[in-house]
Amino acid sequence: MKKILAFAMAAAMTLSLAACGGGSGADSSNKGGASNPPVVSGSQGGTSAGASDPAGFTTVEPGKLHMSTNAEFPPYEMLDDSGVPIGIDVEVAGAIAQKLGLELVVDDMGFDAALLAVQNGQSDIAMAGITVSEDRLAKMDFTDSYATGVQVVIVKEGSDITMDNLGEKMIGTQMGTTGYIYASDTVENGGYGEDHVIGYETGAVAVQALISGQVDAVIIDNLPAQSYVEANAAAGLTILEGTWVEEDYAIGLQKGNTDLMAAVNGALNELKADGTFQGIVDKYITAD
Ligand code: ARG
């Protein structure tokens, strides 16, 4: 598993070097902004291939930045009470769009679909707490990393499950996530075998399966894990001590979309440098 992280970091560094020469085409007048709500669209726009921007990149729909996501991953992306996508990824994407002079459009769909949408050129960026992995790098490009994800194990309080006997248990995951991919891998490859893993539509459904006893544990990224444990306080869930695997999150783009990659990376790095990025993270993650 460590190999995967090292590879991801090397890839991210390569990308950041490649991005150095690229301007963001940005106006830097919106520091601390990112408060305008995203536009939600159920349909994929863009019948045309989009117009070439003065900044040198092209988007699916002129003037818009389409972000495909799966808003089932708090605090990175989730729906608010009125069904509007919010979260760290949504706001960071909004700030990137603003810097590029574009309007963010959030396309919410299944996790696998969100990855496919960007690969197929139906969205400009995929942002969904997406782990950079070797397999995914074969199908899409990634920006510099913007967060570290740690996969953890949720169990019921008082259970006899440890990191070491997980292989004897039933594990719930969200379908298509690295939690599913790694856990369902063969024992030789560090997984537990497909027979021990169930992939659910969302992490929340996997957690419900844990509560109802369909599975013994859920493997999921640490921040959603904390959020689900808190949201189900009455069910008495807890996160096992220790890290199952550590990963890098990055924004996915269609392979070879180098102009937009340079622009998005430029904007992302400006947001990191001017504190906007951290401000967004702090809004959603309260230190304890
Ligand atoms: N980091 C994991 C992965 O890339 C899980 C991401 C799930 N994200 C989501 N929005 N449901 O596979």
Side-chain angles (χ1 to χ4, degrees):
M1 293 301 175
K2 287 281 178 291
K3 192 182 97 214
I4 290 163
L5 176 64
F7 183 83
M9 285 176 68
M13 282 166 71
T14 311
L15 288 171
S16 83
L17 286 176
C20 276
S24 67
D27 70 280
S28 45
S29 57
N30 350 305
K31 292 201 176 78
S35 55
N36 45 344
V39 177
V40 188
S41 119
S43 64
Q44 295 289 338
T47 42
S48 71
S52 203
D53 200 276
F57 55 80
T58 304
T59 55
V60 170
E61 194 182 353
K64 310 257 161 98
L65 185 73
H66 276 267
M67 159 187 171
S68 53
T69 193
N70 170 239
E72 296 279 356
F73 200 67
Y76 287 98
E77 47 269 325
M78 60 274 190
L79 300 178
D80 72 7
D81 291 340
S82 38
V84 176
I86 54 167
I88 295 170
D89 286 346
V90 177
E91 289 207 25
V92 170
I96 290 171
Q98 220 170 6
K99 277 195 175 283
L100 303 184
L102 302 169
E103 183 190 355
L104 179 69
V105 182
V106 180
D107 298 320
D108 185 21
M109 56 191 85
F111 182 67
D112 278 330
L115 298 186
L116 278 175
V118 81
Q119 290 166 29
N120 298 337
Q122 291 164 317
S123 69
D124 299 302
I125 58 171
M127 217 172 163
I130 302 170
T131 299
V132 181
S133 73
E134 218 163 324
D135 282 353
R136 288 176 184 162
L137 276 165
K139 300 181 200 137
M140 57 204 280
D141 291 340
F142 284 99
T143 62
D144 297 345
S145 175
Y146 66 89
T148 303
V150 177
Q151 300 274 330
V152 296
V153 182
I154 311 177
V155 296
K156 282 187 177 162
E157 267 165 18
S159 88
D160 65 344
I161 300 176
T162 65
M163 288 282 181
D164 298 323
N165 66 11
L166 266 177
E168 299 150 28
K169 311 288 178 183
M170 277 309 291
I171 298 156
T173 59
Q174 181 180 16
M175 199 77 216
T177 61
T178 47
Y180 178 85
I181 294 164
Y182 301 153
S184 62
D185 207 341
T186 58
V187 176
E188 301 80 71
N189 286 338
Y192 308 116
E194 267 175 15
D195 294 351
H196 286 270
V197 186
I198 301 179
Y200 294 93
E201 187 59 31
T202 67
V205 175
V207 169
Q208 287 313 312
L210 170 62
I211 293 170
S212 69
Q214 272 176 18
V215 294
D216 305 300
V218 167
I219 295 179
I220 192 163
D221 307 50
N222 59 333
L223 292 181
Q226 283 170 30
S227 153
Y228 291 136
V229 167
E230 275 165 35
N232 294 284
L237 303 178
T238 184
I239 296 173
L240 284 188
E241 202 73 46
T243 297
W244 194 66
V245 61
E246 213 173 288
E247 316 175 307
D248 278 323
Y249 293 169
I251 305 170
L253 272 80
Q254 188 177 31
K255 247 192 174 313
N257 196 351
T258 48
D259 291 340
L260 187 62
M261 175 63 82
V264 171
N265 251 333
L268 176 63
N269 286 318
E270 282 178 28
L271 294 168
K272 284 181 187 171
D274 71 14
T276 306
F277 179 85
Q278 194 55 45
I280 294 170
V281 171
D282 291 346
K283 226 175 99 175
Y284 286 96
I285 304 175
T286 41
D288 40 25

